[in-house]
Amino acid sequence: MHRLSNQLLRWPSRPSLLVQGISRPISKNIREQSSHDRKEFFKPISGLDMPRAGGIATMMRLPHKESSKGLDACFVGIPFDSGCSNRTGTRLGPRQIRTESCLLREYNTQGAAPFASLRVADIGDVSLSMYNIKKACESIRKKYKEILENDCVPLTLGGDHSISYPILQAIKEKHGPVGLIHVDAHADSSDEMLGEKIAHGTPFRRAFDEGLIIPEKTIQIGLRGSQYSVKDGGQSWQVEQGFRVVPAEECWYKSMSPLMAEVRDMMGQVPVYLSFDIDALDPAFAPGTGTPEIGGLTSIQGLEIIRGCRGIKLVGADLVEVSPPYDTNGTTALTGANLLFEMLCALPGVKYSD
């Protein structure tokens, strides 16, 4: 007993960080700094420290935080698909995207170091009603108002595209009307769907009606698919309001980099929201979605669009319409996870090695 007491007394007094059961001493110089003159950055758990199949399934296995307070950016899920018009299942999107994100590493191939630049964590999912779209939208708006009040940039894991509407409502309360980069197979600008004003085909009509977006600084990229009329063409209403529309046919066989240079000039220094529907990509690359359309963008073009947002004043972004029940091998969710990571890399304040 005496020897045991001595051993306990000799236990190291240096504080440690406990991560997944591994104890690391905190360096003396970090301990001596006050919380006012240093910023604690969070990093994903590396596959070199924990097997990919292990760990808690947060986005990129980042720490989970209860709120956005003290964060520069956050990943947040909205498990909602009550606005879907065809195949449902995207309510399961946030969970599956997080699961597939364990493959991601902390730097992209362009030298972006988001986790050495911004304080980022996963703040979980928005709690909402699955049975009342209007109530769900109000819950989303309130949650995002709280996130934005903490000066945190939300990166959203959807969920169907109806969620962009209440997010933009909250964005306007913080930043005023914003520019919009909308990447999608569909315009999502219908006035109604089967008599309803809120659905995944109407968010940007509602955003226009409420002055949430700046029409002349709104661009839609990748639109395609069969149409309801010859006149419509999927873009007539938007063009009349001042939107720029880039149909998928104008993207075929091309790099998106020249287009994104035009988009950067178009946006200038206004706050901008990026909304990326996974069905913008061709079903060959992203089959797990509710309303797939052939002839879409490649995953390379998707990367070019998001990386082309570097230099734009992004104040939020979403990745929507991943539907795991139709994603039998996880490719769509994995692609979505990668695109969300690239959105993080494109945020203002992220340092690059170049």
Side-chain angles (χ1 to χ4, degrees):
M1 178 65 72
H2 181 70
R3 287 196 299 270
L4 178 59
S5 298
N6 287 340
Q7 288 173 348
L8 291 173
L9 289 171
R10 291 196 298 271
W11 186 264
S13 60
R14 298 175 66 189
S16 297
L17 289 175
L18 296 177
V19 181
Q20 298 296 333
I22 301 172
S23 177
R24 301 198 311 271
I26 302 176
S27 63
K28 180 180 179 182
N29 63 329
I30 291 179
R31 291 204 315 275
E32 290 177 347
Q33 291 176 321
S34 73
S35 60
H36 298 291
D37 58 15
R38 69 180 177 87
K39 190 172 189 177
E40 180 188 9
F41 293 114
F42 303 126
K43 292 188 176 183
I45 295 175
S46 169
L48 301 177
D49 296 327
M50 168 67 68
R52 298 287 179 195
I56 304 300
T58 57
M59 183 65 183
M60 296 183 69
R61 300 194 293 184
L62 285 162
H64 171 256
K65 298 294 179 182
E66 294 296 328
S67 80
S68 62
K69 189 174 182 180
L71 301 178
D72 300 306
C74 68
F75 291 105
V76 54
I78 304 182
F80 182 79
D81 62 4
S82 299
C84 285
S85 60
N86 190 39
R87 304 190 305 200
T88 58
T90 192
R91 68 180 62 186
L92 305 174
R95 180 174 295 177
Q96 194 62 35
I97 290 169
R98 287 181 172 110
T99 296
E100 299 295 341
S101 74
C102 67
L103 186 60
L104 298 175
R105 303 163 188 90
E106 62 183 278
Y107 305 98
N108 79 355
T109 58
Q110 305 300 297
F115 302 108
S117 312
L118 305 175
R119 201 164 189 251
V120 187
D122 187 328
I123 65 167
D125 294 332
V126 177
S127 178
L128 43 70
S129 170
M130 305 300 296
Y131 313 108
N132 187 307
I133 293 181
K134 290 182 179 179
K135 286 184 178 180
C137 285
E138 182 60 12
S139 296
I140 295 167
R141 186 195 65 80
K142 288 181 177 178
K143 180 63 175 180
Y144 277 72
K145 180 180 180 181
E146 172 190 310
I147 293 170
L148 293 160
E149 284 176 346
N150 290 325
D151 294 323
C152 180
V153 177
L155 301 174
T156 303
L157 293 66
D160 74 50
H161 221 153
S162 57
I163 67 174
S164 296
Y165 166 47
I167 294 173
L168 285 167
Q169 287 180 314
I171 291 276
K172 183 186 178 183
E173 290 186 57
K174 174 71 174 181
H175 297 286
V178 295
L180 174 68
I181 301 171
H182 173 209
V183 191
D184 203 324
H186 311 98
D188 291 355
S189 300
S190 298
D191 186 33
E192 295 181 348
M193 295 189 75
L194 297 177
E196 296 298 326
K197 291 287 190 178
I198 304 176
H200 75 161
T202 68
F204 303 114
R205 176 67 71 97
R206 299 285 79 77
F208 172 82
D209 289 346
E210 296 183 17
L212 311 182
I213 57 176
I214 305 170
E216 64 272 19
K217 293 188 181 293
T218 294
I219 184 168
Q220 297 181 309
I221 304 171
L223 305 192
R224 63 188 189 279
S226 54
Q227 304 297 321
Y228 289 109
S229 71
V230 173
K231 179 183 177 182
D232 179 41
Q235 57 182 289
S236 57
W237 179 85
Q238 303 94 284
V239 172
E240 289 172 3
Q241 313 316 314
F243 295 13
R244 180 177 177 185
V245 177
V246 183
E249 288 85 349
E250 294 183 15
C251 302
W252 290 354
Y253 319 115
K254 296 178 183 177
S255 167
M256 295 291 96
S257 295
L259 173 64
M260 293 311 296
E262 295 177 22
V263 173
R264 290 191 295 274
D265 289 339
M266 172 185 179
M267 297 301 171
Q269 292 304 307
V270 303
V272 176
Y273 189 78
L274 169 63
S275 186
F276 198 116
D277 188 323
I278 200 69
D279 72 21
L281 304 185
D282 191 89
F285 302 97
T289 191
T291 48
E293 305 280 2
I294 67 167
L297 305 177
T298 67
S299 55
I300 293 171
Q301 289 174 313
L303 280 174
E304 288 179 317
I305 290 169
I306 295 174
R307 289 177 176 178
C309 291
R310 182 184 174 194
I312 290 174
K313 188 180 177 182
L314 288 179
V315 295
D318 62 50
L319 188 289
V320 298
E321 300 284 0
V322 171
S323 183
Y326 298 94
D327 190 29
T328 54
N329 57 9
T331 300
T332 311
L334 176 61
T335 300
N338 275 274
L339 296 179
L340 280 158
F341 170 59
E342 293 291 340
M343 291 174 186
L344 174 65
C345 293
L347 292 184
V350 171
K351 300 173 185 176
Y352 278 72
S353 61
D354 60 4

